[in-house]
Amino acid sequence: MRRLILLICMMCATIGAMAQTMSLIPAPRSYTSAAQGYDITYKTTICCDEGAIPAANYLADKLGIKVSSQGDIYLAIDDRLGAEAYQLSVYTDGIIIVGGDYGGVFNGVTTLLQLLPAEVYSSNLTLPCSVKGCAIEDAPRYEHRGFMLDVCRTWIDKEALLSYIDLLAYHKINSLRLHLTDDEAWRIEIKSHHELAKVGGYRGGDSPIWPRYGKWNKKWGGYYTQDDMREIITYAAQRNIKIVPEIDLPGHSLCLATIHPEVLCRYDHNTAAALGYDVRSVICPSNERNYKLLDDILREVSTLFPSEYIHVGGDEVDFSQWKRCPDCRAFMQRTNMSTTEELQAYFMLRLSEILEKYGKRMAIWDDVVSGQNIPADTHVYGWQSVNRCRSVAAAGYPTIVMPGDYFYFDMKQSEHEPGHDWAAIFDMSKVYNFSPAAVGFTANEQKNIIGLEASFFSEAYASRNPESPAYLHYQTFPRLLAFAEVAWIGTDSRNWDGFHKRVVDYYDNLDAMGVYYRLEPPVVEYENGKLSASVSDESTLFYRQEGSDRTLRYLAPIATNTPAAYRFVSRRALAISPTVAVDDYFEVITPAFDITSSMSDRAQYSFDKAEGYGRIARTRRAATIGDWVMFTFAEPVECRSMKVATGNFQLPRYIFESGDVYVSYDGENFTLVGKLKAGAYVIENSPQPIKAVRIVCTSRGNGAEWVSIQPPTIYPVIK
């Protein structure tokens, strides 16, 4: 330690003025430049305290050098700095990283990587390389800086998951919650009940688990063996990330109930609307045998995962199933319960007792907190709204703040991009401007915030080439950069312009990491017969004219009387921007039409809801082979494109899983024009005005009790 202090003193003698231009994300609390830096060569070695060995090995792999008993790069632990805090010093004779604990050392390592050429992230770093002299002192605001990844709706295999863990680690995210079970799959091996993963890890084909959201015509999926998960846990721990498992109970349990139907409530359930498929998804809390099964599951999960907390769900429980259950009603009467919320609290308390038996504590969604007696040390994840997060914190629970309208990265980033919109439409600027105080948390409520978490639910990923990380990356980067800084700094005083510049400067790093990130939308303007487009991030602009298959490089303003005929996109390495155009390009028309079908509609979601545009309709049952839906227009419609779709807006759920599309120009004679893709079809460049479109189902069922029908989306001819 005396050597360490001497080296720091030598370095401090060369300190200069505060640097304002370093593109470090998240920004450190204190950065001071030094007159001279250090050159890393092939002869450079790393030495470290015993507790920092994994971080030293990690850094050595990145730099292509060795760990030794003596070294020019020194990693040390000094607990006086505090948890995850670090000091990083780069001077003429070497580099010193001192962390308050292992996490602090690793945080210092990730900052050092950002001081190096971007090639360090792609294993192409050429030595020697120079590191600018500096002194950095840094520490996180929140102890929990988390990310939730839904590997259930869309299967993400071990190698892809490890790659994403790398991306989290580069940005000082220290917790990854894996959403391992849901209605659609069971992704973790349970040795005492091998059928859960071996059957529940796959859906479609000969699996009893219904395919949803994508890959409808094949058996698809996978699961993590316990050996896989140990490897993932070890890999993440080296990178200062804890893996928190989520076993979602008692709702979101359709997969479990399909494999073990005895967990469901005991009442007559008519499966006719779902064509024989039982869609119930809630475990019966009054069946004592269920707790033996859950004990088996949670025992193995508790043994496998080092995490102190195990997340056991509690969200979006369909209480109507409990209300219909004679056993639940009798149990409530015996125990003087008056509401199903009390019954849910009882169920969650039973889970808490099981976890406590195995040395773990319970984490839950905020749905469970309703004034009931949930253990005070329960970690509560607030997702429904800022106000819901505040109420949980006000009740005294350790709160992880993750409201959907700020931190759900499966949401759209602008109106015409993919994703959901039920919480909000937002880009990284809204993420960056989040702070508890700014959204109304009182000082006392803020004391109970243990951290922030972002998330990516993957329903829409399964139908968007899940073999590639492109959609996952696009939805999460660069929003994750903004989140990382907010969770690390935690201050109400931020500089958006400065952060935005750092993000653009940081693109080189994202490129080297192999990230398919989202570029900002180009700016399109039309004036005096000239259509122009521009970007502020040095990406390359392209355009396409309506009716052409050619994509051309944009070099100069385009002279045109029809600006709506052009759309623009920018690219850089693997990154891409959303498609942009003048407003007229996105305008739609809403001609009068009628929906008819071989299936009757539901009163609450009648056909006239969709006929009025803006709402979906629902049928009274799922479709089988030969069922049809027809859109008939009051007058033939001339258009450049028309999308007809089954399923929900933004999500291929409740669809015809396959089908043929027919077009009629006179309302009587129909021509086959194509097949549904993800429940929808787009008619392009129709040779004549369209009088009617008929969709005929060529598959049986969709794992639900209805088909959703959207109004057509119709774009007028550009004139």
Side-chain angles (χ1 to χ4, degrees), residues 128-160:
C129 74
S130 297
V131 188
K132 291 182 179 179
C134 64
I136 294 174
E137 294 186 7
D138 204 5
R141 166 63 179 86
Y142 293 110
E143 66 179 88
H144 180 101
R145 305 177 304 281
F147 188 83
M148 196 266 351
L149 183 58
D150 174 10
V151 298
C152 196
R153 276 60 173 267
T154 298
W155 168 236
I156 299 174
D157 66 28
K158 182 180 69 174
E159 294 306 319

mmCIF file of all heavy atoms in Angstrom, residues 128-160:
data_model
loop_
_atom_site.group_PDB
_atom_site.id
_atom_site.type_symbol
_atom_site.label_atom_id
_atom_site.label_comp_id
_atom_site.label_asym_id
_atom_site.label_seq_id
_atom_site.Cartn_x
_atom_site.Cartn_y
_atom_site.Cartn_z
ATOM 1 N N PRO A 128 1.708 -0.874 -29.152
ATOM 2 C CA PRO A 128 1.384 -0.055 -27.981
ATOM 3 C C PRO A 128 0.238 0.913 -28.257
ATOM 4 O O PRO A 128 -0.028 1.272 -29.406
ATOM 5 C CB PRO A 128 2.682 0.710 -27.741
ATOM 6 C CG PRO A 128 3.296 0.830 -29.108
ATOM 7 C CD PRO A 128 2.962 -0.454 -29.809
ATOM 8 N N CYS A 129 -0.441 1.308 -27.185
ATOM 9 C CA CYS A 129 -1.467 2.353 -27.284
ATOM 10 C C CYS A 129 -1.326 3.278 -26.081
ATOM 11 O O CYS A 129 -0.902 2.863 -25.002
ATOM 12 C CB CYS A 129 -2.861 1.764 -27.374
ATOM 13 S SG CYS A 129 -3.503 1.091 -25.849
ATOM 14 N N SER A 130 -1.685 4.518 -26.286
ATOM 15 C CA SER A 130 -1.530 5.532 -25.249
ATOM 16 C C SER A 130 -2.840 5.753 -24.506
ATOM 17 O O SER A 130 -3.920 5.753 -25.108
ATOM 18 C CB SER A 130 -1.068 6.862 -25.864
ATOM 19 O OG SER A 130 0.200 6.713 -26.465
ATOM 20 N N VAL A 131 -2.708 5.949 -23.197
ATOM 21 C CA VAL A 131 -3.855 6.288 -22.357
ATOM 22 C C VAL A 131 -3.610 7.683 -21.802
ATOM 23 O O VAL A 131 -2.545 7.947 -21.219
ATOM 24 C CB VAL A 131 -4.027 5.287 -21.198
ATOM 25 C CG1 VAL A 131 -5.333 5.566 -20.463
ATOM 26 C CG2 VAL A 131 -3.975 3.865 -21.698
ATOM 27 N N LYS A 132 -4.550 8.569 -21.994
ATOM 28 C CA LYS A 132 -4.391 9.936 -21.513
ATOM 29 C C LYS A 132 -4.247 9.959 -19.999
ATOM 30 O O LYS A 132 -4.954 9.247 -19.278
ATOM 31 C CB LYS A 132 -5.586 10.796 -21.925
ATOM 32 C CG LYS A 132 -5.661 11.057 -23.421
ATOM 33 C CD LYS A 132 -6.846 11.959 -23.753
ATOM 34 C CE LYS A 132 -6.903 12.242 -25.257
ATOM 35 N NZ LYS A 132 -8.063 13.111 -25.604
ATOM 36 N N GLY A 133 -3.362 10.809 -19.521
ATOM 37 C CA GLY A 133 -3.187 10.958 -18.087
ATOM 38 C C GLY A 133 -4.419 11.571 -17.443
ATOM 39 O O GLY A 133 -5.006 12.521 -17.955
ATOM 40 N N CYS A 134 -4.818 11.020 -16.309
ATOM 41 C CA CYS A 134 -6.008 11.538 -15.625
ATOM 42 C C CYS A 134 -6.088 10.985 -14.212
ATOM 43 O O CYS A 134 -5.423 10.004 -13.857
ATOM 44 C CB CYS A 134 -7.283 11.186 -16.392
ATOM 45 S SG CYS A 134 -7.610 9.424 -16.489
ATOM 46 N N ALA A 135 -6.905 11.620 -13.411
ATOM 47 C CA ALA A 135 -7.281 11.107 -12.097
ATOM 48 C C ALA A 135 -8.804 11.140 -12.019
ATOM 49 O O ALA A 135 -9.420 12.183 -12.255
ATOM 50 C CB ALA A 135 -6.663 11.948 -10.989
ATOM 51 N N ILE A 136 -9.383 9.998 -11.707
ATOM 52 C CA ILE A 136 -10.844 9.894 -11.632
ATOM 53 C C ILE A 136 -11.229 9.377 -10.254
ATOM 54 O O ILE A 136 -10.649 8.408 -9.757
ATOM 55 C CB ILE A 136 -11.377 8.946 -12.723
ATOM 56 C CG1 ILE A 136 -11.125 9.527 -14.116
ATOM 57 C CG2 ILE A 136 -12.870 8.670 -12.523
ATOM 58 C CD1 ILE A 136 -11.495 8.604 -15.260
ATOM 59 N N GLU A 137 -12.191 10.032 -9.641
ATOM 60 C CA GLU A 137 -12.797 9.542 -8.400
ATOM 61 C C GLU A 137 -14.286 9.379 -8.661
ATOM 62 O O GLU A 137 -14.941 10.289 -9.151
ATOM 63 C CB GLU A 137 -12.551 10.509 -7.242
ATOM 64 C CG GLU A 137 -11.083 10.625 -6.857
ATOM 65 C CD GLU A 137 -10.874 11.471 -5.614
ATOM 66 O OE1 GLU A 137 -11.883 11.864 -4.980
ATOM 67 O OE2 GLU A 137 -9.712 11.741 -5.279
ATOM 68 N N ASP A 138 -14.807 8.221 -8.314
ATOM 69 C CA ASP A 138 -16.170 7.920 -8.749
ATOM 70 C C ASP A 138 -16.847 6.965 -7.778
ATOM 71 O O ASP A 138 -16.188 6.143 -7.128
ATOM 72 C CB ASP A 138 -16.132 7.304 -10.148
ATOM 73 C CG ASP A 138 -17.422 7.488 -10.928
ATOM 74 O OD1 ASP A 138 -18.320 8.176 -10.429
ATOM 75 O OD2 ASP A 138 -17.506 6.943 -12.038
ATOM 76 N N ALA A 139 -18.151 7.065 -7.702
ATOM 77 C CA ALA A 139 -18.953 6.159 -6.869
ATOM 78 C C ALA A 139 -20.392 6.232 -7.345
ATOM 79 O O ALA A 139 -20.849 7.278 -7.830
ATOM 80 C CB ALA A 139 -18.865 6.543 -5.398
ATOM 81 N N PRO A 140 -21.153 5.136 -7.235
ATOM 82 C CA PRO A 140 -22.541 5.141 -7.722
ATOM 83 C C PRO A 140 -23.505 5.773 -6.728
ATOM 84 O O PRO A 140 -23.293 5.721 -5.517
ATOM 85 C CB PRO A 140 -22.843 3.649 -7.883
ATOM 86 C CG PRO A 140 -22.002 2.988 -6.830
ATOM 87 C CD PRO A 140 -20.742 3.800 -6.751
ATOM 88 N N ARG A 141 -24.569 6.346 -7.276
ATOM 89 C CA ARG A 141 -25.649 6.866 -6.428
ATOM 90 C C ARG A 141 -26.509 5.734 -5.904
ATOM 91 O O ARG A 141 -26.889 5.720 -4.730
ATOM 92 C CB ARG A 141 -26.503 7.852 -7.236
ATOM 93 C CG ARG A 141 -27.843 8.221 -6.598
ATOM 94 C CD ARG A 141 -27.652 8.933 -5.271
ATOM 95 N NE ARG A 141 -28.938 9.294 -4.689
ATOM 96 C CZ ARG A 141 -29.690 8.494 -3.930
ATOM 97 N NH1 ARG A 141 -29.272 7.257 -3.682
ATOM 98 N NH2 ARG A 141 -30.832 8.906 -3.439
ATOM 99 N N TYR A 142 -26.831 4.750 -6.753
ATOM 100 C CA TYR A 142 -27.738 3.677 -6.341
ATOM 101 C C TYR A 142 -26.999 2.348 -6.273
ATOM 102 O O TYR A 142 -26.193 2.026 -7.148
ATOM 103 C CB TYR A 142 -28.914 3.553 -7.310
ATOM 104 C CG TYR A 142 -29.840 4.744 -7.282
ATOM 105 C CD1 TYR A 142 -29.907 5.632 -8.353
ATOM 106 C CD2 TYR A 142 -30.643 4.987 -6.169
ATOM 107 C CE1 TYR A 142 -30.752 6.727 -8.319
ATOM 108 C CE2 TYR A 142 -31.489 6.086 -6.127
ATOM 109 C CZ TYR A 142 -31.538 6.949 -7.210
ATOM 110 O OH TYR A 142 -32.378 8.033 -7.167
ATOM 111 N N GLU A 143 -27.298 1.571 -5.264
ATOM 112 C CA GLU A 143 -26.664 0.261 -5.127
ATOM 113 C C GLU A 143 -27.205 -0.740 -6.142
ATOM 114 O O GLU A 143 -26.511 -1.687 -6.515
ATOM 115 C CB GLU A 143 -26.858 -0.293 -3.719
ATOM 116 C CG GLU A 143 -28.307 -0.611 -3.354
ATOM 117 C CD GLU A 143 -28.447 -1.190 -1.963
ATOM 118 O OE1 GLU A 143 -28.582 -0.403 -1.007
ATOM 119 O OE2 GLU A 143 -28.419 -2.432 -1.844
ATOM 120 N N HIS A 144 -28.440 -0.541 -6.609
ATOM 121 C CA HIS A 144 -29.044 -1.446 -7.594
ATOM 122 C C HIS A 144 -29.211 -0.686 -8.898
ATOM 123 O O HIS A 144 -29.964 0.282 -8.995
ATOM 124 C CB HIS A 144 -30.401 -1.945 -7.095
ATOM 125 C CG HIS A 144 -31.087 -2.888 -8.053
ATOM 126 N ND1 HIS A 144 -31.089 -4.250 -7.881
ATOM 127 C CD2 HIS A 144 -31.793 -2.658 -9.198
ATOM 128 C CE1 HIS A 144 -31.765 -4.820 -8.866
ATOM 129 N NE2 HIS A 144 -32.197 -3.865 -9.678
ATOM 130 N N ARG A 145 -28.500 -1.156 -9.907
ATOM 131 C CA ARG A 145 -28.602 -0.577 -11.253
ATOM 132 C C ARG A 145 -28.887 -1.756 -12.178
ATOM 133 O O ARG A 145 -27.970 -2.435 -12.666
ATOM 134 C CB ARG A 145 -27.305 0.145 -11.624
ATOM 135 C CG ARG A 145 -26.902 1.205 -10.592
ATOM 136 C CD ARG A 145 -25.586 1.890 -10.905
ATOM 137 N NE ARG A 145 -24.488 0.944 -11.047
ATOM 138 C CZ ARG A 145 -23.843 0.371 -10.036
ATOM 139 N NH1 ARG A 145 -24.183 0.641 -8.786
ATOM 140 N NH2 ARG A 145 -22.849 -0.477 -10.262
ATOM 141 N N GLY A 146 -30.158 -2.012 -12.383
ATOM 142 C CA GLY A 146 -30.558 -3.296 -12.942
ATOM 143 C C GLY A 146 -31.116 -3.238 -14.350
ATOM 144 O O GLY A 146 -31.477 -2.178 -14.873
ATOM 145 N N PHE A 147 -31.180 -4.427 -14.921
ATOM 146 C CA PHE A 147 -31.835 -4.613 -16.214
ATOM 147 C C PHE A 147 -32.586 -5.940 -16.152
ATOM 148 O O PHE A 147 -32.059 -6.933 -15.634
ATOM 149 C CB PHE A 147 -30.825 -4.637 -17.353
ATOM 150 C CG PHE A 147 -31.461 -4.623 -18.717
ATOM 151 C CD1 PHE A 147 -31.850 -3.429 -19.291
ATOM 152 C CD2 PHE A 147 -31.699 -5.798 -19.413
ATOM 153 C CE1 PHE A 147 -32.454 -3.406 -20.541
ATOM 154 C CE2 PHE A 147 -32.305 -5.786 -20.654
ATOM 155 C CZ PHE A 147 -32.691 -4.583 -21.223
ATOM 156 N N MET A 148 -33.831 -5.945 -16.646
ATOM 157 C CA MET A 148 -34.627 -7.155 -16.712
ATOM 158 C C MET A 148 -34.735 -7.597 -18.158
ATOM 159 O O MET A 148 -35.125 -6.815 -19.024
ATOM 160 C CB MET A 148 -36.035 -6.917 -16.151
ATOM 161 C CG MET A 148 -36.799 -8.166 -15.831
ATOM 162 S SD MET A 148 -37.947 -8.919 -17.017
ATOM 163 C CE MET A 148 -38.165 -7.860 -18.346
ATOM 164 N N LEU A 149 -34.368 -8.847 -18.418
ATOM 165 C CA LEU A 149 -34.417 -9.392 -19.770
ATOM 166 C C LEU A 149 -35.380 -10.565 -19.793
ATOM 167 O O LEU A 149 -35.221 -11.538 -19.046
ATOM 168 C CB LEU A 149 -33.024 -9.835 -20.218
ATOM 169 C CG LEU A 149 -32.893 -10.360 -21.645
ATOM 170 C CD1 LEU A 149 -33.346 -9.310 -22.651
ATOM 171 C CD2 LEU A 149 -31.449 -10.772 -21.925
ATOM 172 N N ASP A 150 -36.379 -10.465 -20.650
ATOM 173 C CA ASP A 150 -37.384 -11.511 -20.812
ATOM 174 C C ASP A 150 -36.847 -12.545 -21.805
ATOM 175 O O ASP A 150 -36.883 -12.335 -23.013
ATOM 176 C CB ASP A 150 -38.685 -10.877 -21.313
ATOM 177 C CG ASP A 150 -39.766 -11.885 -21.668
ATOM 178 O OD1 ASP A 150 -39.592 -13.076 -21.356
ATOM 179 O OD2 ASP A 150 -40.780 -11.460 -22.247
ATOM 180 N N VAL A 151 -36.350 -13.658 -21.269
ATOM 181 C CA VAL A 151 -35.866 -14.747 -22.117
ATOM 182 C C VAL A 151 -36.951 -15.793 -22.312
ATOM 183 O O VAL A 151 -36.693 -16.862 -22.870
ATOM 184 C CB VAL A 151 -34.609 -15.405 -21.507
ATOM 185 C CG1 VAL A 151 -33.481 -14.403 -21.407
ATOM 186 C CG2 VAL A 151 -34.911 -16.012 -20.131
ATOM 187 N N CYS A 152 -38.149 -15.478 -21.848
ATOM 188 C CA CYS A 152 -39.244 -16.449 -21.859
ATOM 189 C C CYS A 152 -40.046 -16.360 -23.151
ATOM 190 O O CYS A 152 -40.180 -17.349 -23.870
ATOM 191 C CB CYS A 152 -40.138 -16.205 -20.654
ATOM 192 S SG CYS A 152 -41.225 -17.573 -20.296
ATOM 193 N N ARG A 153 -40.576 -15.188 -23.471
ATOM 194 C CA ARG A 153 -41.392 -15.036 -24.683
ATOM 195 C C ARG A 153 -40.547 -15.274 -25.926
ATOM 196 O O ARG A 153 -41.012 -15.855 -26.903
ATOM 197 C CB ARG A 153 -42.003 -13.639 -24.728
ATOM 198 C CG ARG A 153 -43.286 -13.449 -23.944
ATOM 199 C CD ARG A 153 -43.158 -13.733 -22.470
ATOM 200 N NE ARG A 153 -44.356 -13.385 -21.743
ATOM 201 C CZ ARG A 153 -44.543 -12.199 -21.153
ATOM 202 N NH1 ARG A 153 -43.609 -11.266 -21.197
ATOM 203 N NH2 ARG A 153 -45.663 -11.951 -20.502
ATOM 204 N N THR A 154 -39.296 -14.794 -25.897
ATOM 205 C CA THR A 154 -38.363 -15.067 -26.991
ATOM 206 C C THR A 154 -37.132 -15.741 -26.399
ATOM 207 O O THR A 154 -36.484 -15.182 -25.517
ATOM 208 C CB THR A 154 -37.955 -13.777 -27.714
ATOM 209 O OG1 THR A 154 -39.118 -13.177 -28.289
ATOM 210 C CG2 THR A 154 -36.956 -14.067 -28.827
ATOM 211 N N TRP A 155 -36.826 -16.934 -26.874
ATOM 212 C CA TRP A 155 -35.687 -17.675 -26.369
ATOM 213 C C TRP A 155 -34.383 -16.984 -26.765
ATOM 214 O O TRP A 155 -34.162 -16.661 -27.926
ATOM 215 C CB TRP A 155 -35.714 -19.094 -26.907
ATOM 216 C CG TRP A 155 -34.463 -19.890 -26.700
ATOM 217 C CD1 TRP A 155 -33.718 -20.509 -27.660
ATOM 218 C CD2 TRP A 155 -33.822 -20.177 -25.448
ATOM 219 N NE1 TRP A 155 -32.656 -21.158 -27.089
ATOM 220 C CE2 TRP A 155 -32.683 -20.968 -25.728
ATOM 221 C CE3 TRP A 155 -34.085 -19.834 -24.122
ATOM 222 C CZ2 TRP A 155 -31.827 -21.426 -24.735
ATOM 223 C CZ3 TRP A 155 -33.232 -20.285 -23.128
ATOM 224 C CH2 TRP A 155 -32.121 -21.068 -23.427
ATOM 225 N N ILE A 156 -33.534 -16.736 -25.774
ATOM 226 C CA ILE A 156 -32.207 -16.165 -25.976
ATOM 227 C C ILE A 156 -31.211 -17.176 -25.437
ATOM 228 O O ILE A 156 -31.175 -17.438 -24.227
ATOM 229 C CB ILE A 156 -32.071 -14.804 -25.261
ATOM 230 C CG1 ILE A 156 -33.097 -13.812 -25.835
ATOM 231 C CG2 ILE A 156 -30.655 -14.258 -25.387
ATOM 232 C CD1 ILE A 156 -33.161 -12.490 -25.106
ATOM 233 N N ASP A 157 -30.425 -17.768 -26.302
ATOM 234 C CA ASP A 157 -29.565 -18.869 -25.867
ATOM 235 C C ASP A 157 -28.389 -18.362 -25.045
ATOM 236 O O ASP A 157 -28.168 -17.149 -24.904
ATOM 237 C CB ASP A 157 -29.105 -19.723 -27.052
ATOM 238 C CG ASP A 157 -28.193 -18.989 -28.020
ATOM 239 O OD1 ASP A 157 -27.467 -18.059 -27.611
ATOM 240 O OD2 ASP A 157 -28.181 -19.351 -29.214
ATOM 241 N N LYS A 158 -27.622 -19.307 -24.502
ATOM 242 C CA LYS A 158 -26.565 -18.971 -23.550
ATOM 243 C C LYS A 158 -25.538 -18.023 -24.158
ATOM 244 O O LYS A 158 -25.154 -17.019 -23.521
ATOM 245 C CB LYS A 158 -25.877 -20.241 -23.058
ATOM 246 C CG LYS A 158 -24.784 -19.987 -22.031
ATOM 247 C CD LYS A 158 -24.135 -21.283 -21.565
ATOM 248 C CE LYS A 158 -23.313 -21.920 -22.660
ATOM 249 N NZ LYS A 158 -22.570 -23.107 -22.183
ATOM 250 N N GLU A 159 -25.071 -18.301 -25.360
ATOM 251 C CA GLU A 159 -24.044 -17.463 -25.953
ATOM 252 C C GLU A 159 -24.551 -16.048 -26.200
ATOM 253 O O GLU A 159 -23.830 -15.069 -25.961
ATOM 254 C CB GLU A 159 -23.542 -18.096 -27.255
ATOM 255 C CG GLU A 159 -22.821 -19.410 -27.061
ATOM 256 C CD GLU A 159 -21.677 -19.325 -26.061
ATOM 257 O OE1 GLU A 159 -20.935 -18.309 -26.095
ATOM 258 O OE2 GLU A 159 -21.524 -20.253 -25.242
ATOM 259 N N ALA A 160 -25.790 -15.927 -26.673
ATOM 260 C CA ALA A 160 -26.354 -14.597 -26.892
ATOM 261 C C ALA A 160 -26.535 -13.862 -25.570
ATOM 262 O O ALA A 160 -26.328 -12.645 -25.485
ATOM 263 C CB ALA A 160 -27.691 -14.709 -27.630
#
